[in-house]
Amino acid sequence: MPNRRILRLTGADVNSFLQGLVTNDIAGLDNGLVYAALLTPQGKYLADFFLKREGDDILLDVAEVIADGLIKRLSMYKLRADLTIEASGLNLQRGTGLAPDGALPDPRHSDMGWRAYTEDAESEDGTDWNAIRVLHCIPETGIELTEDSYILESGFELLNGVDFKKGCYVGQEVTARMKHKTELRKGLRTVLVAGTTPVGTEIAADGKSVGRLFTQADGQGIAYLRLDRAKGDMQAGDATVRLKE
């Protein structure tokens, strides 16, 4: 099964349709890839994806595991908009070495390399993506990013995945309130990990739940933590966890 599905969005209303739905400003498509998310009206995560302008169309690069659900949700919002969502016939190529013609930088972080969309079979260059994600605390669809996630707790501001000046979108009110009126007490952080434990293992400190440990690589991991309790050595199954300073 392919890891990503590349959709093509066409029609006269494609730009206004996306601009009113997603967390980022699609004006950024004039400069390259745009990373964005679709949220529930309550501000929780539904899907994250990359957008690329291709002529009058927009390509949407999304994880295969959530592609059908995203299409269903976009179709629900479509109403009478002049918009068609269809398979693009393209596949993802990505890497961190010399970028081929037509490739664009991953907007989340420069260490995440480049992405390109062609008719060739989906391919990668052997990069250890988990190690890079853990180092920079970059969440992955279906692992750190779930239906319980809030994008600001998931680091989307640092990952260039949200724009606070673009105007309204679904879930914008909750996201803006979290940005301007509250101090985040929970969130994803890179931690030091001694040992190994299954993804999703609960982290505990002094007999109290602190969070959960997810992707691990090279002695580090991405953890979702209650920040006021994440102090000193913590336990996640057979592994010892400490917040990386």
Side-chain angles (χ1 to χ4, degrees), residues 25-74:
D25 190 343
I26 68 165
L29 290 171
D30 294 337
N31 301 315
L33 294 178
V34 167
Y35 180 57
L38 180 66
L39 309 179
T40 68
Q42 295 75 34
K44 288 194 173 184
Y45 166 92
L46 280 172
D48 64 312
F49 39 80
F50 299 87
L51 300 171
K52 178 184 183 292
R53 191 175 299 285
E54 189 171 86
D56 293 331
D57 303 340
I58 292 179
L59 299 179
L60 190 153
D61 165 5
V62 64
E64 177 65 36
V65 293
I66 61 171
D68 288 340
L70 177 60
I71 293 171
K72 183 177 180 179
R73 184 60 65 117
L74 292 176

Short mmCIF file of all heavy atoms in Angstrom, two decimals, residues 25-74:
data_model
loop_
_atom_site.label_atom_id
_atom_site.label_comp_id
_atom_site.label_asym_id
_atom_site.label_seq_id
_atom_site.Cartn_x
_atom_site.Cartn_y
_atom_site.Cartn_z
N ASP A 25 -2.42 29.94 5.27
CA ASP A 25 -2.79 30.86 4.20
C ASP A 25 -2.31 30.29 2.88
O ASP A 25 -1.10 30.13 2.66
CB ASP A 25 -2.15 32.22 4.46
CG ASP A 25 -2.67 33.30 3.54
OD1 ASP A 25 -3.27 32.97 2.49
OD2 ASP A 25 -2.45 34.49 3.85
N ILE A 26 -3.25 29.98 1.99
CA ILE A 26 -2.83 29.36 0.73
C ILE A 26 -2.17 30.36 -0.22
O ILE A 26 -1.67 29.95 -1.28
CB ILE A 26 -4.01 28.65 0.02
CG1 ILE A 26 -5.05 29.64 -0.47
CG2 ILE A 26 -4.62 27.60 0.93
CD1 ILE A 26 -6.01 29.02 -1.45
N ALA A 27 -2.11 31.63 0.14
CA ALA A 27 -1.31 32.56 -0.65
C ALA A 27 0.15 32.13 -0.68
O ALA A 27 0.89 32.45 -1.61
CB ALA A 27 -1.42 33.98 -0.07
N GLY A 28 0.55 31.34 0.33
CA GLY A 28 1.91 30.83 0.36
C GLY A 28 2.22 29.85 -0.75
O GLY A 28 3.39 29.53 -0.99
N LEU A 29 1.20 29.37 -1.46
CA LEU A 29 1.44 28.45 -2.57
C LEU A 29 2.23 29.11 -3.70
O LEU A 29 2.85 28.41 -4.51
CB LEU A 29 0.10 27.93 -3.12
CG LEU A 29 -0.65 26.97 -2.20
CD1 LEU A 29 -2.04 26.69 -2.75
CD2 LEU A 29 0.12 25.67 -2.02
N ASP A 30 2.23 30.41 -3.74
CA ASP A 30 3.01 31.11 -4.76
C ASP A 30 4.51 30.98 -4.50
O ASP A 30 5.32 31.24 -5.39
CB ASP A 30 2.63 32.59 -4.80
CG ASP A 30 1.20 32.81 -5.28
OD1 ASP A 30 0.67 31.93 -5.97
OD2 ASP A 30 0.62 33.86 -4.94
N ASN A 31 4.88 30.55 -3.29
CA ASN A 31 6.29 30.45 -2.91
C ASN A 31 6.75 29.01 -2.71
O ASN A 31 7.94 28.79 -2.44
CB ASN A 31 6.53 31.23 -1.62
CG ASN A 31 6.16 32.69 -1.75
OD1 ASN A 31 6.49 33.34 -2.73
ND2 ASN A 31 5.46 33.22 -0.75
N GLY A 32 5.84 28.04 -2.82
CA GLY A 32 6.24 26.65 -2.63
C GLY A 32 5.15 25.85 -1.96
O GLY A 32 3.97 26.17 -2.05
N LEU A 33 5.55 24.79 -1.28
CA LEU A 33 4.58 23.94 -0.58
C LEU A 33 4.03 24.66 0.64
O LEU A 33 4.73 25.44 1.29
CB LEU A 33 5.24 22.65 -0.11
CG LEU A 33 5.73 21.67 -1.18
CD1 LEU A 33 6.41 20.47 -0.51
CD2 LEU A 33 4.59 21.20 -2.06
N VAL A 34 2.77 24.38 0.96
CA VAL A 34 2.13 24.87 2.17
C VAL A 34 1.72 23.66 3.00
O VAL A 34 1.09 22.74 2.50
CB VAL A 34 0.90 25.74 1.85
CG1 VAL A 34 0.06 25.98 3.10
CG2 VAL A 34 1.33 27.08 1.24
N TYR A 35 2.12 23.67 4.27
CA TYR A 35 1.71 22.64 5.21
C TYR A 35 0.53 23.17 6.01
O TYR A 35 0.56 24.31 6.50
CB TYR A 35 2.87 22.30 6.15
CG TYR A 35 2.57 21.23 7.18
CD1 TYR A 35 2.13 19.97 6.79
CD2 TYR A 35 2.74 21.48 8.54
CE1 TYR A 35 1.86 18.98 7.73
CE2 TYR A 35 2.48 20.51 9.48
CZ TYR A 35 2.04 19.26 9.08
OH TYR A 35 1.78 18.28 10.02
N ALA A 36 -0.53 22.39 6.14
CA ALA A 36 -1.75 22.88 6.78
C ALA A 36 -2.50 21.71 7.39
O ALA A 36 -2.15 20.54 7.21
CB ALA A 36 -2.63 23.61 5.76
N ALA A 37 -3.55 22.06 8.12
CA ALA A 37 -4.41 21.05 8.73
C ALA A 37 -5.87 21.43 8.56
O ALA A 37 -6.20 22.60 8.33
CB ALA A 37 -4.09 20.90 10.22
N LEU A 38 -6.72 20.44 8.65
CA LEU A 38 -8.16 20.64 8.73
C LEU A 38 -8.59 20.25 10.13
O LEU A 38 -8.21 19.19 10.63
CB LEU A 38 -8.88 19.77 7.69
CG LEU A 38 -10.42 19.88 7.65
CD1 LEU A 38 -10.85 21.27 7.21
CD2 LEU A 38 -11.00 18.83 6.72
N LEU A 39 -9.38 21.13 10.78
CA LEU A 39 -9.78 20.92 12.16
C LEU A 39 -11.29 20.73 12.27
O LEU A 39 -12.04 21.07 11.36
CB LEU A 39 -9.37 22.13 13.01
CG LEU A 39 -7.93 22.61 12.90
CD1 LEU A 39 -7.71 23.82 13.80
CD2 LEU A 39 -6.95 21.49 13.24
N THR A 40 -11.71 20.22 13.41
CA THR A 40 -13.13 20.21 13.73
C THR A 40 -13.53 21.62 14.15
O THR A 40 -12.68 22.45 14.48
CB THR A 40 -13.43 19.25 14.89
OG1 THR A 40 -12.85 19.79 16.09
CG2 THR A 40 -12.86 17.87 14.63
N PRO A 41 -14.84 21.91 14.20
CA PRO A 41 -15.26 23.22 14.71
C PRO A 41 -14.80 23.46 16.15
O PRO A 41 -14.68 24.62 16.58
CB PRO A 41 -16.79 23.14 14.63
CG PRO A 41 -17.05 22.19 13.50
CD PRO A 41 -15.97 21.15 13.62
N GLN A 42 -14.52 22.39 16.90
CA GLN A 42 -14.02 22.51 18.27
C GLN A 42 -12.50 22.67 18.33
O GLN A 42 -11.92 22.70 19.42
CB GLN A 42 -14.43 21.28 19.08
CG GLN A 42 -15.93 21.14 19.28
CD GLN A 42 -16.66 20.66 18.03
OE1 GLN A 42 -16.12 19.86 17.26
NE2 GLN A 42 -17.88 21.14 17.82
N GLY A 43 -11.86 22.80 17.16
CA GLY A 43 -10.43 23.06 17.11
C GLY A 43 -9.53 21.85 17.18
O GLY A 43 -8.31 21.99 17.28
N LYS A 44 -10.10 20.64 17.13
CA LYS A 44 -9.27 19.44 17.18
C LYS A 44 -8.86 18.97 15.78
O LYS A 44 -9.54 19.22 14.80
CB LYS A 44 -10.00 18.32 17.94
CG LYS A 44 -10.08 18.58 19.44
CD LYS A 44 -10.49 17.33 20.19
CE LYS A 44 -10.41 17.55 21.68
NZ LYS A 44 -10.71 16.31 22.44
N TYR A 45 -7.78 18.26 15.75
CA TYR A 45 -7.17 17.79 14.50
C TYR A 45 -8.05 16.78 13.78
O TYR A 45 -8.60 15.85 14.39
CB TYR A 45 -5.83 17.15 14.85
CG TYR A 45 -5.19 16.33 13.77
CD1 TYR A 45 -4.29 16.89 12.87
CD2 TYR A 45 -5.47 14.96 13.65
CE1 TYR A 45 -3.68 16.12 11.88
CE2 TYR A 45 -4.88 14.19 12.67
CZ TYR A 45 -3.99 14.78 11.79
OH TYR A 45 -3.39 14.01 10.82
N LEU A 46 -8.19 16.96 12.47
CA LEU A 46 -8.81 15.97 11.60
C LEU A 46 -7.80 15.39 10.61
O LEU A 46 -7.79 14.19 10.35
CB LEU A 46 -9.97 16.58 10.82
CG LEU A 46 -11.30 16.73 11.56
CD1 LEU A 46 -12.28 17.52 10.71
CD2 LEU A 46 -11.89 15.36 11.89
N ALA A 47 -6.99 16.25 10.01
CA ALA A 47 -6.03 15.80 9.00
C ALA A 47 -4.96 16.86 8.82
O ALA A 47 -5.20 18.06 9.01
CB ALA A 47 -6.73 15.54 7.66
N ASP A 48 -3.77 16.42 8.46
CA ASP A 48 -2.70 17.34 8.05
C ASP A 48 -2.23 16.94 6.67
O ASP A 48 -2.31 15.76 6.28
CB ASP A 48 -1.55 17.37 9.05
CG ASP A 48 -0.83 16.03 9.14
OD1 ASP A 48 -1.52 14.99 9.27
OD2 ASP A 48 0.41 16.01 9.11
N PHE A 49 -1.73 17.90 5.90
CA PHE A 49 -1.40 17.62 4.49
C PHE A 49 -0.53 18.75 3.94
O PHE A 49 -0.38 19.81 4.56
CB PHE A 49 -2.67 17.50 3.65
CG PHE A 49 -3.75 18.48 4.04
CD1 PHE A 49 -3.72 19.80 3.62
CD2 PHE A 49 -4.80 18.07 4.86
CE1 PHE A 49 -4.70 20.69 4.01
CE2 PHE A 49 -5.78 18.96 5.26
CZ PHE A 49 -5.73 20.28 4.83
N PHE A 50 0.02 18.48 2.77
CA PHE A 50 0.78 19.49 2.02
C PHE A 50 -0.04 19.90 0.79
O PHE A 50 -0.72 19.07 0.19
CB PHE A 50 2.12 18.92 1.55
CG PHE A 50 3.03 18.50 2.66
CD1 PHE A 50 2.94 17.21 3.18
CD2 PHE A 50 3.95 19.38 3.20
CE1 PHE A 50 3.76 16.81 4.23
CE2 PHE A 50 4.78 18.99 4.23
CZ PHE A 50 4.69 17.71 4.75
N LEU A 51 0.05 21.16 0.45
CA LEU A 51 -0.62 21.69 -0.74
C LEU A 51 0.42 22.22 -1.70
O LEU A 51 1.43 22.82 -1.29
CB LEU A 51 -1.58 22.81 -0.35
CG LEU A 51 -2.70 22.43 0.64
CD1 LEU A 51 -3.44 23.68 1.12
CD2 LEU A 51 -3.67 21.44 0.01
N LYS A 52 0.17 22.02 -2.99
CA LYS A 52 1.08 22.51 -4.04
C LYS A 52 0.25 23.03 -5.20
O LYS A 52 -0.67 22.36 -5.68
CB LYS A 52 2.00 21.39 -4.54
CG LYS A 52 2.94 21.81 -5.67
CD LYS A 52 3.76 20.63 -6.18
CE LYS A 52 4.76 21.05 -7.25
NZ LYS A 52 4.08 21.47 -8.50
N ARG A 53 0.58 24.22 -5.66
CA ARG A 53 -0.11 24.77 -6.82
C ARG A 53 0.45 24.15 -8.09
O ARG A 53 1.67 24.02 -8.25
CB ARG A 53 0.03 26.30 -6.87
CG ARG A 53 -0.90 26.92 -7.91
CD ARG A 53 -0.87 28.44 -7.88
NE ARG A 53 -1.28 29.02 -6.62
CZ ARG A 53 -2.52 29.08 -6.20
NH1 ARG A 53 -3.51 28.54 -6.93
NH2 ARG A 53 -2.83 29.64 -5.04
N GLU A 54 -0.46 23.75 -8.98
CA GLU A 54 -0.05 23.21 -10.28
C GLU A 54 -0.98 23.81 -11.33
O GLU A 54 -2.07 23.30 -11.58
CB GLU A 54 -0.12 21.68 -10.27
CG GLU A 54 0.50 21.06 -11.53
CD GLU A 54 0.63 19.57 -11.41
OE1 GLU A 54 -0.34 18.86 -11.73
OE2 GLU A 54 1.71 19.11 -11.01
N GLY A 55 -0.55 24.91 -11.92
CA GLY A 55 -1.40 25.64 -12.84
C GLY A 55 -2.59 26.21 -12.08
O GLY A 55 -2.43 26.87 -11.05
N ASP A 56 -3.78 25.94 -12.56
CA ASP A 56 -4.99 26.40 -11.87
C ASP A 56 -5.46 25.40 -10.81
O ASP A 56 -6.41 25.70 -10.07
CB ASP A 56 -6.12 26.61 -12.88
CG ASP A 56 -5.85 27.76 -13.83
OD1 ASP A 56 -5.13 28.70 -13.42
OD2 ASP A 56 -6.32 27.70 -14.98
N ASP A 57 -4.82 24.27 -10.73
CA ASP A 57 -5.20 23.22 -9.79
C ASP A 57 -4.34 23.30 -8.53
O ASP A 57 -3.31 23.97 -8.49
CB ASP A 57 -5.04 21.84 -10.42
CG ASP A 57 -5.84 21.69 -11.71
OD1 ASP A 57 -6.77 22.48 -11.91
OD2 ASP A 57 -5.50 20.77 -12.48
N ILE A 58 -4.77 22.55 -7.51
CA ILE A 58 -3.97 22.41 -6.30
C ILE A 58 -3.84 20.93 -5.99
O ILE A 58 -4.84 20.20 -5.94
CB ILE A 58 -4.59 23.17 -5.12
CG1 ILE A 58 -4.53 24.68 -5.37
CG2 ILE A 58 -3.87 22.82 -3.82
CD1 ILE A 58 -5.15 25.52 -4.28
N LEU A 59 -2.61 20.47 -5.82
CA LEU A 59 -2.36 19.10 -5.39
C LEU A 59 -2.41 19.04 -3.87
O LEU A 59 -1.95 19.96 -3.18
CB LEU A 59 -0.99 18.61 -5.88
CG LEU A 59 -0.77 18.58 -7.39
CD1 LEU A 59 0.65 18.09 -7.69
CD2 LEU A 59 -1.80 17.69 -8.07
N LEU A 60 -2.97 17.95 -3.34
CA LEU A 60 -3.06 17.75 -1.90
C LEU A 60 -2.41 16.42 -1.57
O LEU A 60 -2.83 15.37 -2.05
CB LEU A 60 -4.51 17.79 -1.45
CG LEU A 60 -4.77 17.84 0.06
CD1 LEU A 60 -6.11 18.52 0.36
CD2 LEU A 60 -4.75 16.43 0.67
N ASP A 61 -1.37 16.47 -0.76
CA ASP A 61 -0.55 15.31 -0.39
C ASP A 61 -0.89 14.92 1.04
O ASP A 61 -0.58 15.64 1.99
CB ASP A 61 0.93 15.74 -0.54
CG ASP A 61 1.93 14.82 0.13
OD1 ASP A 61 1.54 13.77 0.65
OD2 ASP A 61 3.14 15.18 0.12
N VAL A 62 -1.55 13.76 1.21
CA VAL A 62 -2.05 13.36 2.52
C VAL A 62 -1.70 11.90 2.79
O VAL A 62 -1.55 11.10 1.86
CB VAL A 62 -3.58 13.57 2.58
CG1 VAL A 62 -4.30 12.67 1.57
CG2 VAL A 62 -4.12 13.36 3.99
N ALA A 63 -1.57 11.55 4.06
CA ALA A 63 -1.31 10.15 4.43
C ALA A 63 -2.44 9.26 3.95
O ALA A 63 -3.62 9.59 4.09
CB ALA A 63 -1.14 10.03 5.94
N GLU A 64 -2.08 8.12 3.39
CA GLU A 64 -3.08 7.19 2.85
C GLU A 64 -4.10 6.78 3.90
O GLU A 64 -5.29 6.63 3.60
CB GLU A 64 -2.36 5.96 2.29
CG GLU A 64 -3.28 4.87 1.77
CD GLU A 64 -4.09 5.32 0.56
OE1 GLU A 64 -3.57 6.08 -0.26
OE2 GLU A 64 -5.26 4.87 0.46
N VAL A 65 -3.68 6.63 5.15
CA VAL A 65 -4.57 6.11 6.18
C VAL A 65 -5.73 7.06 6.50
O VAL A 65 -6.75 6.62 7.06
CB VAL A 65 -3.80 5.78 7.48
CG1 VAL A 65 -2.85 4.63 7.26
CG2 VAL A 65 -3.06 7.01 8.00
N ILE A 66 -5.59 8.34 6.18
CA ILE A 66 -6.68 9.27 6.47
C ILE A 66 -7.26 9.89 5.20
O ILE A 66 -8.12 10.77 5.28
CB ILE A 66 -6.24 10.40 7.42
CG1 ILE A 66 -5.10 11.23 6.81
CG2 ILE A 66 -5.84 9.83 8.77
CD1 ILE A 66 -4.79 12.49 7.62
N ALA A 67 -6.81 9.43 4.03
CA ALA A 67 -7.22 10.06 2.77
C ALA A 67 -8.73 9.95 2.54
O ALA A 67 -9.38 10.94 2.17
CB ALA A 67 -6.45 9.45 1.60
N ASP A 68 -9.30 8.78 2.74
CA ASP A 68 -10.73 8.62 2.49
C ASP A 68 -11.56 9.51 3.41
O ASP A 68 -12.54 10.13 3.00
CB ASP A 68 -11.15 7.16 2.66
CG ASP A 68 -10.65 6.26 1.55
OD1 ASP A 68 -10.33 6.80 0.46
OD2 ASP A 68 -10.58 5.03 1.76
N GLY A 69 -11.17 9.57 4.68
CA GLY A 69 -11.88 10.41 5.62
C GLY A 69 -11.78 11.88 5.27
O GLY A 69 -12.75 12.64 5.43
N LEU A 70 -10.62 12.31 4.78
CA LEU A 70 -10.45 13.70 4.38
C LEU A 70 -11.31 14.04 3.17
O LEU A 70 -11.96 15.09 3.14
CB LEU A 70 -8.98 13.98 4.07
CG LEU A 70 -8.67 15.39 3.56
CD1 LEU A 70 -9.08 16.45 4.57
CD2 LEU A 70 -7.19 15.52 3.19
N ILE A 71 -11.34 13.14 2.19
CA ILE A 71 -12.19 13.37 1.01
C ILE A 71 -13.65 13.50 1.42
O ILE A 71 -14.37 14.39 0.94
CB ILE A 71 -12.00 12.24 -0.01
CG1 ILE A 71 -10.59 12.26 -0.60
CG2 ILE A 71 -13.04 12.35 -1.13
CD1 ILE A 71 -10.26 11.04 -1.44
N LYS A 72 -14.08 12.64 2.31
CA LYS A 72 -15.48 12.69 2.79
C LYS A 72 -15.76 14.03 3.46
O LYS A 72 -16.82 14.65 3.24
CB LYS A 72 -15.72 11.53 3.74
CG LYS A 72 -17.15 11.44 4.24
CD LYS A 72 -17.34 10.22 5.14
CE LYS A 72 -18.77 10.12 5.65
NZ LYS A 72 -18.96 8.91 6.51
N ARG A 73 -14.83 14.51 4.30
CA ARG A 73 -15.05 15.77 5.00
C ARG A 73 -15.02 16.95 4.04
O ARG A 73 -15.86 17.86 4.14
CB ARG A 73 -13.98 15.93 6.09
CG ARG A 73 -14.16 17.15 6.97
CD ARG A 73 -15.48 17.14 7.71
NE ARG A 73 -15.57 16.04 8.65
CZ ARG A 73 -15.70 16.19 9.96
NH1 ARG A 73 -15.76 17.40 10.49
NH2 ARG A 73 -15.80 15.14 10.74
N LEU A 74 -14.09 16.96 3.10
CA LEU A 74 -14.05 18.05 2.12
C LEU A 74 -15.32 18.07 1.27
O LEU A 74 -15.85 19.14 0.96
CB LEU A 74 -12.82 17.90 1.23
CG LEU A 74 -11.45 18.11 1.90
CD1 LEU A 74 -10.34 17.84 0.90
CD2 LEU A 74 -11.32 19.52 2.48
#
